[in-house]
Amino acid sequence: MEKEEKIVAVLLVMAILSLAVAYFTYLPGELTGDMQPLTDSSKLGEKVFVEGTVLSKRLTYTGDHLILEIDHSTGPITAFIPNNRGAEEINERISTNDQVRVAGIMDEYEGQLEIVVQKAKDVELL
């Protein structure tokens, strides 16, 4: 190999390693870092958690997603658990009137704020 080819090969390896490090540091859907309790000033896209009583739960008619309504000091908040993120598992272990801690990403659906859960372990019984 010539000198230029070696330099290109080294730069290519460095770029691939940098991308791998970035991917594993910022895994999509991971709730790490600066998670805050839900407040009136929580914004869309923030990682938040809420503790409260499950007021209701239901599976959606299409998609088998789970929707939990949780009583919280700021008022009732909806937690949305996609079917590919543990909806069935959570539905089996959570009941109405259970005390839970739910973590997720603040989002908005049809004008209402909700917490979108990323993994089944982000919903815990207290």
Side-chain angles (χ1 to χ4, degrees), residues 2-110:
E2 292 186 30
K3 184 178 180 181
E4 292 84 14
E5 291 173 330
K6 289 179 183 177
I7 290 172
V8 169
V10 167
L11 290 175
L12 183 60
V13 168
M14 289 174 54
I16 291 170
L17 288 173
S18 296
L19 288 172
V21 167
Y23 177 79
F24 288 111
T25 302
Y26 304 102
L27 281 174
E30 287 293 315
L31 294 176
T32 58
D34 57 344
M35 190 179 323
Q36 302 293 323
L38 178 68
T39 64
D40 289 332
S41 60
S42 295
K43 297 186 183 345
L44 296 179
E46 283 185 351
K47 301 174 201 173
V48 297
F49 69 90
V50 62
E51 293 179 355
T53 305
V54 177
L55 299 174
S56 67
K57 71 173 192 167
R58 67 179 175 86
L59 290 170
T60 61
Y61 296 114
T62 57
D64 290 328
H65 308 294
L66 180 63
I67 297 175
L68 299 177
E69 193 75 23
I70 301 165
D71 188 23
H72 183 257
S73 60
T74 62
I77 184 79
T78 300
F80 176 77
I81 302 101
N83 66 354
N84 63 348
R85 302 287 173 111
E88 185 177 325
E89 176 188 335
I90 294 168
N91 188 40
E92 290 174 3
R93 64 180 164 96
I94 300 290
S95 300
T96 305
N97 296 321
D98 282 348
Q99 293 291 316
V100 293
R101 181 180 195 269
V102 176
I105 308 288
M106 278 300 297
D107 201 0
E108 186 175 3
Y109 179 73
E110 295 184 351

